[in-house]
Amino acid sequence: MNEQNDTRIASKAGKIDSGKTGRRQFLRGAGLAAGAAAATVAMPNVSRAQTVTMKYQSTWPTKDIFHEMAADYATRVNEMSGGRLKLEVLAAGSVVPAFGMQDAVHSGVLDAGHGVTAYWYGKHKAFSLFGTVPPFGWDANGVLAWMNYGGGYQLYNELVRDILKLNIVGFVSGPMPCQPLGWFKQQVKTADDLKNLKYRTVGLSADVFKEMGAAVTIVAGGEIVPAMDRGLLDAAEFNNPSSDRVLGFPDVSKVYMLQSWHQSAEAFEIIFNKAKFDALAAEQKAILKYAAEAASSDMSWKALDRYSKDLAELQTKDKVKVFTTPRAVMDAQLKAWDTVLKAQNQEAFFAKVIKSQLDWVRRTVRYELLNTPNRQLAYNHFFGQKKG
């Protein structure tokens, strides 16, 4: 009996000890799990992607707001990557001239660049259709929507990789407001006033102004004002009040014509050497793509702020006379576009892109026109001159 009791007691003791041990193990395990969770919060997983530095040159002079916007993109990339991917920002001419940027990225002399597709118009006129589009009634944000949801990127990649065999990867980013007709010696009142003018523009806009009778010269942004100062140009457009002001246009002209169909919707292009891009880790590629989208939004907000301020200062401080381009001149531009598009549509790929754009605009702008009230009515109600 005693042996049986001893056995039962020992058995109960064993169960009790086992229970205590189990609870201790559970609590110890819970503590370790909690510690691990705390460690996860305190020390998040860090990407092991190799640090990469890229030489990234813009096509803009250092003082231009466009170069600032190119640097804004780099800032986003550098901060989002935690320093594991760094874009080293260089201004136009630091390594190659502005118009040599694409070739330099293609060959690997540069790793990346910031510019506009119209600058590569000499290689294929369809390049201008991905950043400086015909005025079908859309704006630059509509162009970016087409790029992302209307087949634009597929066509862009077909041009870059299949037709021209360029060793680049590109992102279109940064919707620009409609560009001014430009800077002139005197107010433009009729389309005939443009005839025989030595006028600077780029991309398909060059064909449009040639059709209107102007003598077109294509030069990079930093070269325009010196050319006007020396009399090599009679008139010119660049892009916006902030760029125009800092580049010195008010020093060579006091007549500024706003509104035009020559470049009513444009966006930047950010390009990378494809071999360099393909060698990046997946998260680094994603950062480059999504930073372009983030910078696109910020650029449009900054432009609205800065361009409006600089237009006011052009008028008040620089004594520039601002005029609205007459309807007759803009109608003549649209007719010139008809002629240019008819001629360029003889090339199969150009026609393919135009068809895609027309299909997109026909649907999307119809929606916008039906849905969006005339903003000028509301603006005039609150800010217009009060009757009486």
Side-chain angles (χ1 to χ4, degrees):
M1 290 291 295
N2 290 339
E3 290 180 0
Q4 290 177 347
N5 288 337
D6 291 342
T7 302
R8 284 197 296 270
I9 292 169
S11 176
K12 289 180 180 179
K15 288 179 181 178
I16 293 171
D17 289 342
S18 176
K20 289 181 180 179
T21 302
R23 283 195 295 274
R24 283 197 297 270
Q25 289 174 341
F26 171 80
L27 292 172
R28 187 182 302 115
L32 290 172
T40 300
V41 173
M43 299 180 62
N45 289 331
V46 177
S47 169
R48 291 178 174 81
Q50 183 179 359
T51 301
V52 177
T53 299
M54 290 182 157
K55 289 183 295 183
Y56 164 66
Q57 181 186 297
S58 82
T59 54
W60 320 114
T62 305
K63 59 185 178 181
D64 186 5
I65 191 173
F66 282 0
H67 184 70
E68 180 181 330
M69 290 168 174
D72 288 342
Y73 170 71
T75 297
R76 280 163 174 73
V77 170
N78 296 348
E79 291 182 359
M80 290 166 69
S81 71
R84 296 183 302 279
L85 178 60
K86 180 180 179 182
L87 297 186
E88 180 186 346
V89 183
L90 305 167
S94 297
V95 178
V96 295
F99 287 170
M101 186 270 283
Q102 188 194 71
D103 287 339
V105 174
H106 165 76
S107 65
V109 171
L110 289 170
D111 300 315
H114 185 282
V116 289
T117 61
Y119 278 6
W120 326 130
Y121 148 97
K123 293 182 177 179
H124 198 297
K125 291 194 175 183
F127 251 128
S128 200
L129 298 177
F130 296 98
T132 309
V133 301
F136 293 140
W138 53 347
D139 61 13
N141 197 54
V143 175
L144 292 179
W146 169 74
M147 288 294 299
N148 285 277
Y149 291 97
Y153 268 118
Q154 289 88 332
L155 291 165
Y156 173 86
N157 290 330
E158 182 179 345
L159 174 63
V160 168
R161 298 175 190 176
D162 301 336
I163 296 176
L164 296 178
K165 312 293 184 185
L166 295 174
N167 183 37
I168 65 172
V169 172
F171 303 108
V172 179
S173 170
M176 301 181 193
C178 178
Q179 297 182 28
L181 185 68
W183 296 83
F184 299 84
K185 294 178 180 178
Q186 56 189 10
Q187 182 183 359
V188 175
K189 297 180 179 180
T190 71
D192 287 341
D193 292 339
L194 296 173
K195 290 183 177 178
N196 300 316
L197 275 185
K198 293 178 289 185
Y199 181 83
R200 181 272 179 193
T201 189
V202 295
L204 284 169
S205 173
D207 291 6
V208 170
F209 279 101
K210 286 177 183 176
E211 182 63 27
M212 298 179 74
V216 174
T217 298
I218 298 176
V219 297
E223 302 172 27
I224 303 172
V225 169
M228 290 183 73
D229 191 42
R230 296 195 302 270
L232 301 176
L233 290 172
D234 299 318
E237 63 81 33
F238 181 62
N239 190 278
N240 65 80
S242 296
S243 293
D244 292 355
R245 188 165 188 245
V246 77
L247 291 176
F249 279 88
D251 297 332
V252 294
S253 171
K254 295 296 182 184
V255 175
Y256 197 27
M257 304 292 302
L258 298 186
Q259 299 188 17
S260 179
W261 290 127
H262 76 284
Q263 286 175 296
S264 59
E266 187 174 19
F268 293 121
E269 179 195 39
I270 303 169
I271 62 175
F272 296 88
N273 176 273
K274 188 174 186 300
K276 188 92 172 189
F277 182 88
D278 288 346
L280 296 174
E283 66 266 30
Q284 292 174 322
K285 294 176 184 176
I287 287 170
L288 294 178
K289 172 181 169 61
Y290 296 122
E293 294 180 2
S296 190
S297 295
D298 181 69
M299 175 256 160
S300 65
W301 306 329
K302 175 178 284 191
L304 186 60
D305 176 45
R306 297 273 286 278
Y307 295 179
S308 59
K309 289 177 181 176
D310 280 314
L311 178 62
E313 294 202 351
L314 281 170
Q315 295 175 277
T316 57
K317 293 185 178 180
D318 301 319
K319 308 304 179 185
V320 169
K321 296 179 180 179
V322 175
F323 299 96
T324 300
T325 302
R327 171 70 180 271
V329 176
M330 298 188 72
D331 286 346
Q333 285 182 315
L334 292 176
K335 290 178 180 178
W337 269 109
D338 285 339
T339 302
V340 169
L341 292 177
K342 183 177 180 180
Q344 297 305 322
N345 271 339
Q346 302 304 309
E347 198 278 320
F349 180 76
F350 190 101
K352 182 179 180 179
V353 178
I354 289 294
K355 181 183 183 305
S356 175
Q357 292 182 341
L358 288 171
D359 289 344
W360 174 263
V361 172
R362 186 178 293 110
R363 172 170 59 87
T364 59
V365 175
R366 176 181 180 275
Y367 160 73
E368 290 180 317
L369 293 175
L370 288 172
N371 185 65
T372 308
N374 186 335
R375 293 192 302 160
Q376 188 170 355
L377 296 177
Y379 185 88
N380 288 345
H381 173 81
F382 289 103
F383 301 105
Q385 184 177 1
K386 303 295 184 181
K387 292 183 178 180

